[in-house]
Structures are given as structure tokens and as C-alpha cells.
């Protein structure tokens, strides 16, 4: 029985990958708003029933495409936190991977910004980053802040700053290398958090 399931899993994975690839290429070509489920199915060479067997809508397809990014960022964060050394040097370990992803997909980020698709994608990215920062603070900072700053305030501060810096950087053509942007962001963000919770 286990042997029979393997080809089905590969076929499902292949279909999902074709739908994701078609979706991304259509966003770049036509924009998110103008792209329909029918367009995606035609570009991926699958039927509508196959699409709806995997996704409830093109918004659902977009959200699931960001799941790979979430897994990458979670892995990077775990690896950074597992390293020996001061918490300042290990904190926000997902940051560089996120900047690299944004630079590598700059055309897609630009295509998404402004429309409903952008709001969905950026909202999902914001939730992913909020979860990462929230988990990191819970795992690394035991103390309550001396000045009464709630932990969730720190989460929203870091995520908001990250999104603003990333948008500014991408809008400027991502001229500075991701490593430099990451180093500057992490320095400012971690100095403030560590000072508030020490």
C-alpha cells in the first residue's frame, strides 16, 4: 500500500509545482488582478477541476506559494539560534534569507505591490515574520521589559521596520547587497530589543 501512494504524491507535487510556476509567470506577464484561474489552468495545462482539487482560489494558490518561503525562514532561524555566542549575534537569523529571497524575486515583488494580490502576499509575509519574531522573543528573552514595553509591541516594531526597510531597498533597485542590508537592519533592531529586555 505504501508503494502505491508514492507515485500519487509525486504527481500531486508536480501538478502543484506546474500551477505555481504558471501563476508566477502570469503575474509577471499580466499582473495579479488580470490573471484568472482559467488563465492559470491553461498555462499549466490542467483542468479547472484539478486546480480546485488543490486550491480554493487563486488567492489560496498565492498563499500556498509562500509556504516554501516560511519553511526556509524557519530553518534559517533555528540554525542561527542553535549557534553558540551572544544572542545579539544570533538574533533575527531569518533576516538575511528574507532579503535574499526578495532580491532574487524583485520582479515578482514589484508585480504584486499595489493590487489585491500584493496585499495578500505582503499580509502573508508579515504574518510569517511576526510568528518568527514572536517565537524568537519567547525562546530567547525571559525578562519582562524594564520600561513596560509589551513583547507584542516589540514584535510589531521589528516586523514593521523590516517591511519598511525591505520596501525601501527594493524600490531603490536592491543596489546594496543583502548581507549589508541584513547587517544594518539586525544591528538596529537587536540593539533596541536587547536594551529593552535586559
Amino acid at each position: 500500500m505504501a508503494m502505491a501512494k508514492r507515485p500519487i504524491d509525486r504527481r500531486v507535487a508536480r501538478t502543484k509545482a506546474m500551477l505555481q510556476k504558471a501563476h508566477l509567470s502570469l503575474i509577471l506577464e499580466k499582473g495579479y488582478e488580470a490573471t484568472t484561474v482559467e488563465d492559470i489552468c491553461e498555462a499549466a495545462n490542467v483542468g479547472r477541476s484539478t486546480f480546485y482539487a488543490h486550491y480554493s482560489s487563486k488567492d489560496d494558490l498565492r498563499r500556498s506559494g509562500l509556504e516554501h518561503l516560511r519553511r526556509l525562514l524557519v530553518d534559517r532561524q533555528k540554525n542561527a539560534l542553535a549557534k553558540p555566542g551572544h544572542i545579539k549575534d544570533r538574533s533575527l537569523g531569518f533576516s538575511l534569507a528574507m532579503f535574499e529571497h526578495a532580491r532574487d524575486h524583485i520582479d515578482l515583488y514589484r508585480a504584486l505591490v499595489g493590487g489585491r494580490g500584493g496585499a495578500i502576499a505582503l499580509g502573508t509575509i508579515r504574518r510569517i515574520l511576526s510568528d518568527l519574531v514572536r517565537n524568537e522573543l519567547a525562546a530567547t528573552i525571559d525578562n519582562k521589559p524594564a520600561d513596560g514595553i509589551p513583547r507584542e509591541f516589540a514584535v510589531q516594531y521589528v516586523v514593521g521596520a523590516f517591511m519598511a526597510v525591505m520596501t525601501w531597498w527594493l524600490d531603490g533597485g536592491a543596489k546594496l547587497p543583502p548581507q549589508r542590508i541584513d547587517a544594518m537592519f539586525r544591528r538596529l533592531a537587536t540593539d533596541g530589543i536587547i536594551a529593552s529586555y535586559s
Side-chain angles (χ1 to χ4, degrees):
M1 283 290 205
M3 297 291 278
K5 190 174 181 182
R6 226 175 196 182
I8 294 169
D9 290 346
R10 278 197 299 261
R11 191 169 57 230
V12 167
R14 190 170 43 249
T15 300
K16 287 183 172 185
M18 289 184 325
L19 288 166
Q20 288 291 345
K21 184 177 179 183
H23 186 223
L24 294 178
S25 67
L26 287 165
I27 290 171
L28 292 172
E29 178 187 326
K30 299 171 64 165
Y32 184 83
E33 297 299 323
T35 299
T36 65
V37 169
E38 188 173 325
D39 294 333
I40 296 166
C41 292
E42 187 176 313
N45 196 26
V46 300
R48 286 176 68 90
S49 61
T50 299
F51 177 92
Y52 286 113
H54 302 292
Y55 304 104
S56 61
S57 65
K58 72 175 184 175
D59 293 348
D60 185 32
L61 175 63
R62 178 74 241 125
R63 278 186 213 95
S64 74
L66 292 168
E67 179 57 23
H68 173 74
L69 174 62
R70 187 193 69 75
R71 285 192 308 267
L72 170 72
L73 298 178
V74 166
D75 288 346
R76 292 285 177 93
Q77 181 183 46
K78 283 180 186 174
N79 291 341
L81 290 173
K83 290 179 184 174
H86 191 274
I87 187 60
K88 181 177 175 180
D89 300 325
R90 299 180 291 133
S91 66
L92 306 177
F94 61 85
S95 174
L96 177 59
M98 186 67 222
F99 283 124
E100 289 171 339
H101 185 274
R103 184 218 39 218
D104 293 346
H105 298 90
I106 192 168
D107 290 338
L108 180 60
Y109 278 77
R110 284 181 178 154
L112 284 170
V113 172
R116 194 168 63 91
I120 291 165
L122 294 176
T124 302
I125 290 170
R126 182 177 275 279
R127 279 191 299 282
I128 290 168
L129 296 177
S130 295
D131 288 345
L132 289 165
V133 173
R134 195 174 293 116
N135 292 343
E136 183 168 316
L137 290 178
T140 60
I141 302 202
D142 296 328
N143 305 331
K144 292 202 182 257
D147 52 4
I149 297 173
R151 190 172 285 168
E152 190 59 25
F153 180 92
V155 169
Q156 296 306 314
Y157 173 81
V158 170
V159 172
F162 186 93
M163 297 296 286
V165 166
M166 185 174 71
T167 301
W168 166 80
W169 178 61
L170 293 175
D171 285 348
K175 291 182 177 122
L176 291 172
Q179 295 80 3
R180 179 76 177 122
I181 292 292
D182 173 63
M184 291 186 293
F185 173 75
R186 288 179 57 235
R187 182 174 142 209
L188 290 176
T190 56
D191 282 353
I193 292 171
I194 289 171
S196 294
Y197 287 85
S198 298

